[in-house]
Amino acid sequence: MNLSGRVRLTVNGQPVEVPAGASVAAAVAHVTLQFRRAVHGEPRAPLCGMGVCFECRVQVDGVAHVRACMTPARDGMRVQTDD
Amino acid sequence: MTERYDVLIVGAGPAGLAAAQAAASHGARVGLLDAQARPGGQVWRHDVRRAAPRAARKAIAALHQVEILTQHHVVACEDHALLVETPQGAERLTYGALVLATGARELLLPFPGWTLPGVAGAGGLQALLKQGWPIAGKRVVVAGSGPLLLAAAATLRAHGARLLGIYEQAPAATVNAFARQLLHWPARAAQAISLRARLAGVPYRCGSIVRSAHGEGQLGAIEIEGARGVHRLECDQLAVGYGLVPNVELAGLLGCAMEHDGAHPQVQVDSLLRTSVADVHAAGELCGIGGLAAARIEGAIAGHAAAGDDEAATALLPQRAQARRFADLLRRHFALDPRLHALATPQTLVCRCEDVTLAALDGFTDARAAKLATRCGMGACQGRICGSALAELGCFPRGGVRPPLFPARLATLALAESEPSFSDEYRGN
């Protein structure tokens, strides 16, 4: 977090700014509603919002299968959704 | 790394916070863990753009001598110990007494189009919103059942959503009967009136259900069946939830006896909220959906009992009975319409993790056989979504629980002392 109470990170290479305390899910939603691709290729986005459904899985700083809704956004994070 | 607590509490929502405060008042070393990044649970979830409710701030500020362990995910249990995963690694937490306050999740039922991005739970979208999800100017429909819809809608509006309507599945006659009963509960009535005032101008339609969602790659429209037939509504987000189901997975892993409320298991407790397993107590939603007031008082009861003060726990029992009566009222008036059980077509995906359709589950009568043949329930959510939905639909009850409770890192599992136990329940008995 910087002095302005905002957090700056990138989602699929695009810079995004969210309030301090916001989730990675919120940051992703500023860029795309497609978080992951399901087994048969359909796009998916968060369903439960509370860490239960695993539909919001993304890659954070190279780590796969991170639940975006459970992860606070941090300065400099690099978030990648499924292509 | 191993830490030892006199009283360890799982879940930092209203029940867990009250349990921590009560247990700590007796001088016990108390640990309060939660998977989320901040205490508050779902109902008191921190809102990054707005101040928390006063009750939530007070409950969190009241914690003295309590170690708050956030982003701690329980993966497995051993004798008087929990194996937890944190962003930094894994830990073993041992305890003298354990209080389970794992709360509830939303009941999410399958319907055509429910996998489209833009469709979320009602409490689900509210939770996302509180953590900064962009909603200003978006056209949003709220649907499902229960007073949670009003709370979710109020949060949506406060964040600038364009609310197109709230669609409650319960018929108008029973919703009105519920409203009349509120006269006996002044605090609840005041809350309901304040919510309605904040939602002035937003249509509230009873006896209405969302039949399907449509869109290319993301939600564009929904179809609603109401008293006056079926109509189509264009929208950007749908927030739809059919009430709550208890989170009993950890209790199940510990071997706690369950009872059923309709299709869904809840933890069986005695009058002092002790489960069937020695030194394991339970409080709040996982003992049966009871709402905020019941959770707070039960948390205090369980916290006192876990710290060994049965007298202080017993003194609170009349308050618990009162709070639970309100829960009965809710259950009676927001029972689910059987039409909701028939929304999914044979082609509708039921298991979202493994893309299993309802048709693929035809003929199966137990979760384990269905899982082995179709992969239903085998994905990352471990059947939490499809299992509860299939139980509600009357297909088959949820399967047993085994470790790890959540997908975990190999390094975490390496810390586990014992082999995973394969209980009779897991074998499908």
Side-chain angles (χ1 to χ4, degrees):
Chain A
M1 187 177 86
N2 51 50
L3 288 174
S4 62
R6 308 283 292 177
V7 170
R8 293 191 183 97
L9 63 164
T10 65
V11 174
N12 299 343
Q14 280 190 51
V16 180
E17 203 180 276
V18 290
S23 64
V24 168
V28 172
H30 278 94
V31 173
T32 177
L33 257 192
Q34 180 187 302
F35 282 62
R36 70 175 193 103
R37 281 203 182 275
V39 174
H40 293 133
E42 276 186 343
R44 295 283 172 80
L47 172 73
C48 78
M50 48 190 81
V52 176
C53 75
F54 285 74
E55 289 282 30
C56 66
R57 278 172 287 164
V58 293
Q59 206 184 83
V60 176
D61 293 336
V63 178
H65 304 299
V66 175
R67 280 173 287 175
C69 77
M70 298 288 281
T71 310
R74 303 252 185 257
D75 268 330
M77 254 183 183
R78 281 168 300 125
V79 179
Q80 191 73 38
T81 64
D82 283 351
D83 291 332
Chain B
M1 198 171 80
T2 299
E3 284 290 335
R4 147 116 210 152
Y5 295 92
D6 299 322
V7 178
L8 187 61
I9 298 153
V10 183
L17 288 165
Q21 192 187 352
S25 73
H26 301 287
R29 183 179 182 204
V30 179
L32 173 61
L33 64 92
D34 198 286
Q36 303 284 340
R38 299 181 67 126
Q42 299 308 331
V43 64
W44 283 344
R45 180 185 282 273
H46 176 73
D47 190 323
V48 297
R49 292 171 290 197
R50 301 170 65 82
R54 188 165 356 129
R57 290 200 306 269
K58 268 178 72 178
I60 293 166
L63 296 181
H64 302 294
Q65 309 298 319
V66 172
E67 288 165 56
I68 301 179
L69 310 164
T70 55
Q71 288 190 290
H72 277 53
H73 303 260
V74 179
V75 168
C77 55
E78 296 160 3
D79 182 27
H80 285 75
L82 298 180
L83 184 67
V84 299
E85 186 172 282
T86 70
Q88 287 74 41
E91 283 176 53
R92 177 177 289 108
L93 307 178
T94 69
Y95 56 81
L98 183 69
V99 178
L100 301 175
T102 49
R105 58 174 173 267
E106 259 183 300
L107 178 61
L108 302 161
L109 298 179
F111 58 88
W114 78 309
T115 54
L116 281 169
V119 178
L125 187 57
Q126 187 186 29
L128 291 164
L129 209 58
K130 288 184 173 180
Q131 297 190 106
W133 185 270
I135 203 76
K138 298 264 171 63
R139 299 166 300 170
V140 185
V141 172
V142 177
S145 196
L148 174 66
L149 300 187
L150 297 179
T155 307
L156 279 156
R157 185 174 237 191
H159 283 90
R162 281 174 55 198
L163 276 177
L164 303 186
I166 302 167
Y167 295 90
E168 163 66 55
Q169 59 87 36
T174 49
V175 173
N176 291 335
F178 173 76
R180 282 195 297 277
Q181 288 291 320
L182 281 183
L183 294 174
H184 302 294
W185 307 82
R188 305 289 189 151
Q191 202 178 14
I193 290 165
S194 137
L195 276 175
R196 285 302 290 154
R198 281 148 66 192
L199 293 167
V202 178
Y204 181 72
R205 302 275 181 262
C206 296
S208 300
I209 58 183
V210 174
R211 294 190 54 87
S212 56
H214 307 268
E216 281 303 315
Q218 72 181 66
L219 180 70
I222 57 171
E223 235 177 52
I224 299 165
E225 183 183 318
R228 283 164 288 180
V230 177
H231 71 283
R232 197 180 162 92
L233 199 54
E234 289 188 2
C235 59
D236 305 308
Q237 291 245 224
L238 170 65
V240 56
Y242 290 101
L244 305 174
V245 287
N247 285 325
V248 297
E249 287 72 21
L250 175 55
L253 197 61
L254 287 158
C256 298
M258 303 282 165
E259 56 192 22
H260 274 75
D261 173 34
H264 307 288
Q266 59 193 40
V267 178
Q268 202 181 79
V269 286
D270 68 10
S271 62
L272 287 182
L273 305 182
R274 292 173 292 220
T275 71
S276 65
V277 175
D279 304 320
V280 179
H281 306 247
E285 304 290 52
L286 80 160
C287 310
I289 302 307
L292 175 59
R296 295 180 75 182
I297 200 69
E298 289 182 6
I301 293 169
H304 285 305
D309 191 340
D310 288 358
E311 207 176 312
T314 306
L316 298 171
L317 292 180
Q319 289 182 57
R320 178 191 184 216
Q322 165 84 354
R324 280 278 164 189
R325 274 198 292 278
F326 186 74
D328 291 338
L329 194 68
L330 277 175
R331 189 170 23 247
R332 279 204 309 278
H333 290 86
F334 292 94
L336 293 187
D337 186 324
R339 281 183 299 168
L340 295 167
H341 295 163
L343 291 178
T345 67
Q347 289 73 44
T348 304
L349 294 179
V350 173
C351 170
R352 303 170 58 117
C353 295
E354 297 289 341
D355 281 6
V356 182
T357 61
L358 186 60
L361 298 170
D362 226 10
F364 289 102
T365 54
D366 86 77
R368 183 169 157 77
K371 185 193 226 177
L372 288 173
T374 70
R375 299 190 62 87
C376 179
M378 203 176 258
C381 94
Q382 300 177 306
R384 283 173 170 85
I385 303 296
C386 64
S388 296
L390 287 162
E392 179 65 35
L393 264 50
C395 297
F396 42 77
R398 276 203 67 191
V401 190
R402 63 170 176 160
L405 275 176
F406 280 101
R409 293 188 291 263
L410 283 173
T412 303
L413 298 179
L415 195 71
E417 208 162 58
S418 49
E419 295 290 308
S421 61
F422 292 92
S423 65
D424 283 349
E425 194 191 4
Y426 179 67
R427 292 196 177 92
N429 295 329

